């Protein structure tokens, strides 16, 4: 007879999905407050083994990662704990205790990707609709680095009304200061897709084209296609032809705009 659940590489696998092994989760729950930087790194390594089961992991762990800034490999310096970092440490442990059961992906079921972002982290959850309820398949979260955090700020300010480059630089420099802020903001504003579609940053004056005047009828004929039009006797398109020499114009109704039909009509 088959087993209804299997323990595999630190995970409990069932027919419904997978979750961290209870004894592994309990070991992390019993983990004492780290005294050194090396101990804190060990704790974060243990808990991030189950990161895909943890909602908002990057946001919860962010204060603890701040304690690691400037640390060296196997750093034995003491950790200077504060009330906020202690709360983050305990929240990391309770988050693992409350880790969600992740369902296995099933073909044919509707999927939903929910995303969220803060000033310093982004997160997402991939879900599938099963038995009239959304069940998580995997969680994702990432702490933003310094450049990404600055870009988030830019998007918040520039995205409100999409002002011009100079106005965006002025708005940013009135509230924030960092090295090369004007250069970075100008580059980001120039790269804004919506601004590129809706605004003209530079008017280009093209030279007028020079065309030779035809010397006989039908030596140069301009053609164009119009449609789709309201059907008339089955015709929904129109082929227009204009002779450049005489300016004679013809409009020919056609059924489709394939190369064969247009060629025959012309």
């Amino acid at each position: 007879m088959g087993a209804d659940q299997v323990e595999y590489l630190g995970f409990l696998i069932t027919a419904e999905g997978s979750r961290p092994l209870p004894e592994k989760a309990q070991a992390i729950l019993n983990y004492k407050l780290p005294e050194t930087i090396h101990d804190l790194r060990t704790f974060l390594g243990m808990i991030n083994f189950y990161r895909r089961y943890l909602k908002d992991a990057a946001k919860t762990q962010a204060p603890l990662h701040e304690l690691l800034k400037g640390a060296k490999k196997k750093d034995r310096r003491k950790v200077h704990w504060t009330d906020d970092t202690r709360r983050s440490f305990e929240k990391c442990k309770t988050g693992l205790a409350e880790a969600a059961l992740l369902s296995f992906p099933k073909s044919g079921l509707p999927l939903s990707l929910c995303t969220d972002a803060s000033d310093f982290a982004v997160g997402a959850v991939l879900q599938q609709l099963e038995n009239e309820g959304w069940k998580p398949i995997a969680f994702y979260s990432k702490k933003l680095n310094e450049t990404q955090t600055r870009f988030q700020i830019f998007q918040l300010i520039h995205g409100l009304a999409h002002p011009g480059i100079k106005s965006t630089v002025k708005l940013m420099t009135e509230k924030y200061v960092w090295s090369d802020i004007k250069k970075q903001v100008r580059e980001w504003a120039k790269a804004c897709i919506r601004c590129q579609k809706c605004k003209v940053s530079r008017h280009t004056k093209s030279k007028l084209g020079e065309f030779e005047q035809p010397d006989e009828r039908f030596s140069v004929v301009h053609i164009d296609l119009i449609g789709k039009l309201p059907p008339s006797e089955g015709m929904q398109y129109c082929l227009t032809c204009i002779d450049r020499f005489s300016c004679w114009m013809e409009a020919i109704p056609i059924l489709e705009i394939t190369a064969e039909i247009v060629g025959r009509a012309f």
Side-chain angles (χ1 to χ4, degrees), residues 104-174:
F104 297 122
K106 297 180 181 178
S107 60
L109 294 181
L111 294 175
S112 169
L113 179 63
C114 299
T115 61
D116 193 12
S118 66
D119 292 342
F120 57 88
V122 293
V125 56
L126 179 63
Q127 309 172 101
Q128 66 184 6
L129 186 61
E130 186 177 355
N131 297 327
E132 299 183 355
W134 290 104
K135 295 187 178 181
I137 297 176
F139 292 99
Y140 171 84
S141 60
K142 184 181 186 299
K143 184 178 181 295
L144 301 176
N145 60 35
E146 192 171 289
T147 302
Q148 291 169 333
T149 302
R150 293 171 179 176
F151 185 67
Q152 282 286 106
I153 296 171
F154 163 80
Q155 286 186 312
L156 290 173
I157 293 179
H158 182 74
L160 292 174
H162 290 271
I165 296 175
K166 291 183 179 179
S167 298
T168 304
V169 171
K170 182 179 179 182
L171 289 170
M172 291 288 291
T173 52
E174 285 176 347

Side-chain angles (χ1 to χ4, degrees), residues 3 5 13 23 26 64 69 79 112 117 122 147 152 161 173 176 198 232 242-243 248 251 253:
Q5 61 182 33
I13 313 297
E23 52 266 34
Q26 189 61 45
L64 301 183
K69 279 190 173 181
V79 178
S112 169
V122 293
T147 302
Q152 282 286 106
T173 52
Y176 302 96
C198 301
S232 175
I242 302 176
D243 173 41
W248 181 266

Side-chain angles (χ1 to χ4, degrees), residues 5 24 48 61 100 130 191 239:
Q5 61 182 33
K24 297 292 185 181
N48 281 321
Q61 297 175 22
E130 186 177 355
L239 170 66

Side-chain angles (χ1 to χ4, degrees), residues 12-216:
L12 183 64
I13 313 297
T14 68
E16 291 75 27
S18 65
R19 62 166 23 114
L21 272 176
E23 52 266 34
K24 297 292 185 181
Q26 189 61 45
I28 295 176
L29 283 172
N30 295 335
Y31 202 93
K32 295 181 179 179
L33 190 71
E35 294 184 0
T36 67
I37 297 293
H38 178 71
D39 294 338
L40 178 57
R41 276 182 173 156
T42 301
F43 169 77
L44 289 172
M46 291 171 59
I47 200 166
N48 281 321
F49 180 76
Y50 298 110
R51 189 182 183 92
R52 65 190 295 260
Y53 294 82
L54 304 175
K55 183 181 179 182
D56 298 329
K59 184 177 180 180
T60 305
Q61 297 175 22
L64 301 183
H65 283 284
E66 287 295 318
L67 297 173
L68 301 180
K69 279 190 173 181
K72 300 177 181 179
K73 188 177 181 181
K74 296 184 179 180
D75 201 324
R76 299 292 178 179
R77 289 179 299 161
K78 295 290 184 181
V79 178
H80 300 290
W81 291 99
T82 65
D83 291 340
D84 288 340
T85 52
R86 287 175 186 269
R87 280 193 291 269
S88 296
F89 174 73
E90 294 299 330
K91 192 173 181 180
C92 287
K93 296 199 295 183
T94 56
L96 181 61
E98 299 168 356
L101 172 72
L102 297 185
S103 298
F104 297 122
K106 297 180 181 178
S107 60
L109 294 181
L111 294 175
S112 169
L113 179 63
C114 299
T115 61
D116 193 12
S118 66
D119 292 342
F120 57 88
V122 293
V125 56
L126 179 63
Q127 309 172 101
Q128 66 184 6
L129 186 61
E130 186 177 355
N131 297 327
E132 299 183 355
W134 290 104
K135 295 187 178 181
I137 297 176
F139 292 99
Y140 171 84
S141 60
K142 184 181 186 299
K143 184 178 181 295
L144 301 176
N145 60 35
E146 192 171 289
T147 302
Q148 291 169 333
T149 302
R150 293 171 179 176
F151 185 67
Q152 282 286 106
I153 296 171
F154 163 80
Q155 286 186 312
L156 290 173
I157 293 179
H158 182 74
L160 292 174
H162 290 271
I165 296 175
K166 291 183 179 179
S167 298
T168 304
V169 171
K170 182 179 179 182
L171 289 170
M172 291 288 291
T173 52
E174 285 176 347
K175 298 181 179 180
Y176 302 96
V177 176
W178 67 73
S179 177
D180 293 330
I181 181 173
K182 292 184 178 180
K183 180 182 178 181
Q184 285 187 330
V185 172
R186 279 196 294 266
E187 291 175 351
W188 291 336
K190 286 180 180 179
C192 176
I193 300 299
R194 182 174 174 183
C195 291
Q196 291 177 17
K197 290 180 177 179
C198 301
K199 298 179 182 179
V200 177
S201 58
R202 178 179 296 176
H203 293 275
T204 303
K205 295 182 179 179
S206 301
K207 183 180 178 181
L208 294 177
E210 297 180 356
F211 301 95
E212 293 184 5
Q213 187 67 25
D215 53 3
E216 61 181 0

